[in-house]
């Protein structure tokens, strides 16, 4: 400890190196994902136009008007060799040009961004609320292990975790919307409202999907947080602190939480990666027209440009959130010094 | 082995419940032709019947017996789950073993790959993959496989890294025993319990994914799984008309089966708790 500052500086440069390393890896990952999505559309057996247009339409056009086919191919950037197409595709992605939707005849970017907004309205509050609930309950259950809360919550979350979210959503829908008639059956807003009334109406429509999401995520957050608290509680430095006579609340906030929240933050970061399309099931059941619903309809209509963009957006979002988690972990945890 | 399981069965409550649940569903799948009163595909006249003595859970929108559908559905659901889980576990543990055993460059490459795959696995990507790969059972298994192997690989790699440093493995390597023999004779038995646990979890996970995919209508329509029944209950107005005998049983079956697989992974947990104090 003679030269604390020199050590500190070295730590910082080490950390910078680690973070740079992670950034490079994730850039590589994004490139890989972009390539995979190209391969998925272009290297599938048969003419990619068949996949884009669907069997019937492809053969109809092929026999009636072969020139139109070439034109369509050009429009989708499907003329030229595979290498040329790949380069062109990369250029388009860099310019954020994702092409035209086949079924809706609008720019894919427009459609997806509009839907994304509605998904975020649902997913952002859900993530934040469940993070809070999960942390509070988890900390209490872990700190008073085998206490009342722990004995109730642990089996409950175990069971709830095994029910798929679409099933929970259906159960909520039948119970609260059909039986008790407390909430609207589906959709995002009633028509013809503006200003404050509109916002209130949207929030009313949001209640059920939001609570299903919060419920399912709180369960997994609770399990994680509880196990982190228990893990840290068993460490020897906690025993030392208790033996030294540090008050219990101080042990909890100063020593246990400081360490237990670290992995929890990482988990939360990873959850932000699911924000874009982690709510597919809930959106489908409650007819919430967000990303999940767009994805679902695009798949059943074989609308490849939209699928491609959803694939890219989801994957990139996950990569970004995982790099965020890594970087935060490295920055927050003073123990990490190696790659 | 069987003695151990029996001992565990008597002592560990969670494990006991899990085994009972799984035995229930597996026997349902095996004995499907005996249990089911009707052919699940047969059209039996009146659609949308309420539960009665003739049809325990009523009939669906085209007049098929829901109870028979449910019993036969367990076959498809379990089959997809088990096949996908076996594929995922084989792929994952092979990669984990090779990476952990050979270390060095191989390990580095596989670790980067695993990290990439860890950021990818999730339901939306599986859904999209199925969309690209054409719907149906094979597409589903392949999609689950691509997105779910990383967790197993990571756990197995960590364990193999520990085991390979044990003295007897090192001695064997010095003696010039072939890598193949060391891997399969001495490392595989040591990681068997971890691999089995991961496999049970993967079955649960795969069944969950299958349910979600079938619910969206991306499964195979010729073979009805529980998710498929739920799909029709939801899209053919079973939920809106509150026909609980249509949508509730598949939900209970899926959740019960999932719970069974999760609880079975509690195998050995009571023992480790005893050791800890």
């Amino acid at each position: 400890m003679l030269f604390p500052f020199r050590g500190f500086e070295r730590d910082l440069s080490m950390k910078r190196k680690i973070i740079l390393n992670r950034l490079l890896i994730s850039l590589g990952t994004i490139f890989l994902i972009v390539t995979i999505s190209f391969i998925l559309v272009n290297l599938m057996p048969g003419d990619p136009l068949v996949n884009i247009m669907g069997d019937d339409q492809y053969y109809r056009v092929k026999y009636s008007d072969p020139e139109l086919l070439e034109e369509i191919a050009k429009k989708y950037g499907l003329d030229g060799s595979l290498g040329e197409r790949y380069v062109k595709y990369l250029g388009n992605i860099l310019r954020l040009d994702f092409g035209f939707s086949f079924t809706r005849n609008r720019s894919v970017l427009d459609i997806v961004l509009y839907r994304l907004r509605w998904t975020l309205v649902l997913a952002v509050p859900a993530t934040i609320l469940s993070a809070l609930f999960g942390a509070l309950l988890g900390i209490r259950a872990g700190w008073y292990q085998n206490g009342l809360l722990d004995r109730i919550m642990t089996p409950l979350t175990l069971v709830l975790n095994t029910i798929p979210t679409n099933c929970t959503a259906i159960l909520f829908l039948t119970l609260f919307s059909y039986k008790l008639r407390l909430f609207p059956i589906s959709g995002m807003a009633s028509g013809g409202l503006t200003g404050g009334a509109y916002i209130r109406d949207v929030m009313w429509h949001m209640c059920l999907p939001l609570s299903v999401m919060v419920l399912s995520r709180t369960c997994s957050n609770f399990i994680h947080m509880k196990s982190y608290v228990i893990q840290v509680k068993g460490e020897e430095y906690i025993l030392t602190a208790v033996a030294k006579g540090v008050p219990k609340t101080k042990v909890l906030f100063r020593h246990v939480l400081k360490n237990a929240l670290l992995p929890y933050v990482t988990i939360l970061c990873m959850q932000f990666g699911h924000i874009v399309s982690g709510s597919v099931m809930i959106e489908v059941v409650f007819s919430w027209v967000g990303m999940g619903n767009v994805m679902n309809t695009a798949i059943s209509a074989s609308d490849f440009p939209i699928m491609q963009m959803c694939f890219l957006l989801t994957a990139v979002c996950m990569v970004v959130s995982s790099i965020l988690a890594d970087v935060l972990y490295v920055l927050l945890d003073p123990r990490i010094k190696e790659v | 082995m069987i003695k151990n399981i029996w001992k565990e069965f008597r002592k560990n409550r969670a494990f006991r419940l899990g085994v009972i649940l799984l035995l229930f569903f597996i026997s349902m799948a095996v004995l499907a032709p005996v249990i089911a009163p009707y052919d699940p595909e047969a059209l039996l006249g009146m659609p949308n019947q309420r539960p009665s003595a003739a049809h325990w859970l009523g009939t669906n929108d085209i007049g098929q017996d829901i109870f028979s559908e449910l019993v036969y559905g367990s076959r498809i659901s379990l089959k997809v789950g088990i096949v996908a889980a076996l594929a995922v576990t084989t792929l994952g543990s092979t990669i984990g073993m090779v990476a952990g055993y050979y270390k060095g460059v191989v390990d580095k490459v596989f670790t980067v790959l695993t990290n990439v795959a860890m950021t990818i696995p999730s339901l939306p990507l599986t859904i999209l993959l199925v969309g690209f790969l054409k719907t149906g059972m094979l597409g589903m298994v392949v999609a689950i496989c691509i997105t779910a192997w990383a967790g197993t690989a990571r756990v197995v790699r960590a364990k193999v890294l520990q085991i390979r440093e044990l003295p007897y493995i090192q001695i064997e390597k010095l003696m010039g025993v072939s890598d193949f023999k060391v891997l399969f004779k001495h490392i595989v038995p040591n990681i068997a319990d971890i691999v089995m646990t991961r496999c049970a979890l993967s079955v649960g996970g795969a069944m969950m994914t299958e349910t979600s995919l079938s619910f969206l209508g991306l499964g195979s329509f010729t073979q009805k799984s529980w998710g498929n029944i739920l799909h029709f209950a939801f899209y053919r107005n079973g939920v809106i008309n509150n026909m609980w005998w249509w949508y509730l049983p598949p939900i209970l079956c899926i959740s019960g089966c999932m719970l069974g697989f999760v609880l079975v992974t509690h195998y050995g947990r009571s023992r480790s708790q005893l050791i800890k104090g």
Side-chain angles (χ1 to χ4, degrees):
Chain A
M1 291 298 277
L2 267 175
F3 303 104
F5 277 104
R6 193 191 287 167
F8 179 70
E9 240 169 42
R10 203 184 55 216
D11 280 5
L12 212 66
S13 74
M14 266 324 268
K15 285 192 172 186
R16 206 171 296 147
K17 219 169 158 188
I18 298 171
I19 290 173
L20 251 169
N21 193 359
R22 301 276 153 90
L23 272 175
L24 275 179
I25 289 180
S26 57
L27 266 181
T29 313
I30 289 178
F31 179 72
L32 211 70
I33 289 166
V34 168
T35 308
I36 289 173
S37 110
F38 176 79
I39 292 172
L40 278 176
V41 175
N42 283 277
L43 290 192
M44 272 192 296
D47 192 334
L49 267 182
V50 180
N51 292 317
I52 287 178
M53 297 169 66
D55 287 333
D56 310 347
Q57 223 159 353
Y58 176 78
Y59 289 110
R60 198 164 58 225
V61 175
K62 189 172 184 180
Y63 291 119
S64 64
D65 195 356
E67 274 170 27
L68 183 65
L69 206 63
E70 270 166 37
E71 227 169 84
I72 294 174
K74 210 167 188 177
K75 187 180 160 199
Y76 285 97
L78 289 173
D79 50 339
S81 72
L82 208 64
E84 276 169 30
R85 262 188 271 156
Y86 182 58
V87 172
K88 206 165 156 193
Y89 162 82
L90 285 183
N92 281 345
I93 297 251
L94 279 180
R95 272 181 274 121
L96 292 182
D97 176 7
F98 295 93
F100 273 84
S101 154
F102 198 72
T103 47
R104 291 178 216 213
N105 209 17
R106 266 172 63 199
S107 148
V108 169
L109 195 66
D110 283 353
I111 298 175
V112 171
L113 284 187
Y114 175 72
R115 298 310 164 111
L116 183 63
R117 215 179 310 155
W118 281 104
T119 294
L120 291 183
V121 165
L122 195 65
V124 172
T127 310
I128 294 170
L129 282 177
S130 54
L132 280 176
F133 290 151
L136 290 176
L137 292 170
I139 290 168
R140 214 188 140 76
W143 186 240
Y144 298 106
Q145 204 183 347
N146 294 327
L148 187 65
L149 185 79
D150 184 21
R151 266 182 295 158
I152 295 172
M153 282 298 284
T154 305
L156 189 71
T157 47
L158 186 71
V159 172
L160 282 178
N161 240 346
T162 60
I163 307 177
T165 35
N166 53 341
C167 299
T168 331
I170 287 178
L171 293 179
F172 266 57
L173 190 70
T174 46
L175 184 64
F176 293 108
S177 293
Y178 296 132
K179 271 263 159 75
L180 303 174
R181 297 186 185 281
L182 285 176
F183 296 102
I185 289 162
S186 66
M188 306 186 289
S190 329
L193 292 170
T194 48
Y198 176 71
I199 292 175
R200 235 173 298 138
D201 189 60
V202 169
M203 282 171 82
W204 185 53
H205 279 80
M206 242 170 78
C207 277
L208 276 187
L210 188 68
S211 38
V212 174
M213 256 175 115
V214 170
L215 186 72
S216 74
R217 294 210 177 157
T218 303
C219 283
S220 64
N221 285 349
F222 167 83
I223 294 171
H224 285 299
M225 190 71 216
K226 191 192 132 191
S227 73
Y228 297 144
V229 169
I230 290 174
Q231 211 178 331
V232 174
K233 231 174 68 177
E235 296 282 347
E236 269 159 13
Y237 54 82
I238 301 294
L239 189 69
T240 314
V242 174
K244 233 169 46 172
V246 180
K248 269 214 148 180
T249 43
K250 215 171 168 185
V251 175
L252 176 63
F253 286 103
R254 264 274 181 80
H255 301 286
V256 175
L257 284 194
K258 215 171 168 183
N259 288 295
L261 282 176
L262 211 61
Y264 191 66
V265 168
T266 322
I267 294 268
L268 291 186
C269 281
M270 296 298 285
Q271 276 187 5
F272 268 90
H274 294 249
I275 230 168
V276 174
S277 47
S279 49
V280 189
M281 290 298 153
I282 291 166
E283 283 181 16
V284 168
V285 173
F286 289 105
S287 326
W288 188 271
V289 191
M291 283 287 287
N293 241 322
V294 158
M295 224 159 87
N296 193 23
T297 44
I299 289 173
S300 40
S302 291
D303 195 336
F304 278 79
I306 290 194
M307 278 165 70
Q308 197 168 37
M309 173 150 189
C310 290
F311 183 84
L312 284 177
L313 199 62
T314 310
V316 167
C317 205
M318 280 177 184
V319 173
V320 169
S321 67
S322 88
I323 178 84
L324 198 70
D326 274 352
V327 169
L328 261 181
Y329 203 89
V330 173
L331 284 180
L332 291 178
D333 195 338
R335 287 168 296 192
I336 293 182
K337 281 172 199 156
E338 284 175 63
V339 179
Chain B
M1 182 76 179
I2 289 172
K3 217 172 163 187
N4 269 347
I5 290 177
W6 176 241
K7 225 179 181 174
E8 192 72 25
F9 186 78
R10 279 184 25 207
K11 257 195 303 200
N12 189 338
R13 233 176 26 200
F15 182 68
R16 188 164 55 213
L17 183 61
V19 169
I20 291 172
L21 274 172
L22 285 190
L23 281 180
F24 173 74
F25 285 110
I26 289 170
S27 50
M28 186 160 141
V30 172
L31 299 175
V34 184
I35 301 172
Y38 304 97
D39 179 7
E41 303 290 336
L43 307 175
L44 302 162
M46 282 285 284
N48 293 332
Q49 280 180 51
R50 296 183 69 85
S52 62
H55 303 283
W56 290 358
L57 294 172
T59 55
N60 66 8
D61 60 316
I62 50 173
Q64 292 167 332
D65 184 55
I66 293 174
F67 180 68
S68 307
E69 271 189 310
L70 205 66
V71 172
Y72 274 95
S74 64
R75 285 189 161 184
I76 310 294
S77 290
L78 279 172
K79 195 158 87 188
V80 173
I82 289 170
V83 170
L86 282 181
V88 164
T89 313
T90 317
L91 186 67
S93 42
T94 310
I95 289 178
M97 248 163 60
V98 170
Y101 186 74
Y102 289 104
K103 284 172 74 173
V105 185
V106 185
D107 185 30
K108 279 239 165 82
V109 171
F110 277 132
T111 310
V112 170
L113 257 180
T114 314
N115 284 338
V116 171
M118 282 293 263
T119 58
I120 291 179
S122 81
L123 190 59
L125 286 183
T126 321
I127 292 172
L128 284 166
L129 270 179
V130 169
F132 282 119
L133 291 171
K134 298 270 150 61
T135 53
M137 203 129 101
L138 189 68
M140 203 139 69
V141 171
V142 171
I144 292 173
C145 215
I146 292 174
T147 52
W149 59 272
T152 307
R154 183 175 273 196
V155 174
V156 169
R157 172 183 168 267
K159 185 78 185 172
V160 172
L161 271 180
Q162 271 175 22
I163 293 172
R164 77 183 292 281
E165 300 303 331
L166 291 177
Y168 71 92
I169 303 274
Q170 293 293 329
I171 289 169
E172 266 186 282
K173 277 173 109 181
L174 279 179
M175 280 163 62
V177 180
S178 73
D179 285 345
F180 186 80
K181 209 166 174 187
V182 175
L183 267 174
F184 280 89
K185 244 193 162 162
H186 298 279
I187 289 187
V188 167
N190 275 309
I191 56 170
D193 48 347
I194 285 191
V195 171
M196 299 274 261
T197 317
R198 290 296 311 184
C199 192
L201 275 182
S202 307
V203 179
M207 284 182 69
M208 198 112 145
T209 312
E210 188 272 339
T211 305
S212 308
L213 291 174
S214 299
F215 175 73
L216 292 178
L218 298 172
S220 71
F221 278 99
T222 47
Q223 290 169 306
K224 285 187 182 173
S225 66
W226 291 328
N228 217 308
I229 301 174
L230 204 60
H231 168 85
F232 284 111
F234 185 73
Y235 285 99
R236 302 276 166 83
N237 302 333
V239 173
I240 290 178
N241 296 327
N242 198 22
M243 296 156 75
W244 55 263
W245 55 88
W246 194 358
Y247 65 80
L248 208 54
I251 292 180
L252 287 179
C253 281
I254 295 157
S255 309
C257 208
M258 271 291 296
L259 189 64
F261 279 111
V262 171
L263 287 179
V264 163
T265 61
H266 280 236
Y267 173 73
R269 227 166 262 191
S270 65
R271 249 181 308 165
S272 59
Q273 266 169 7
L274 277 179
I275 294 165
K276 246 187 178 174

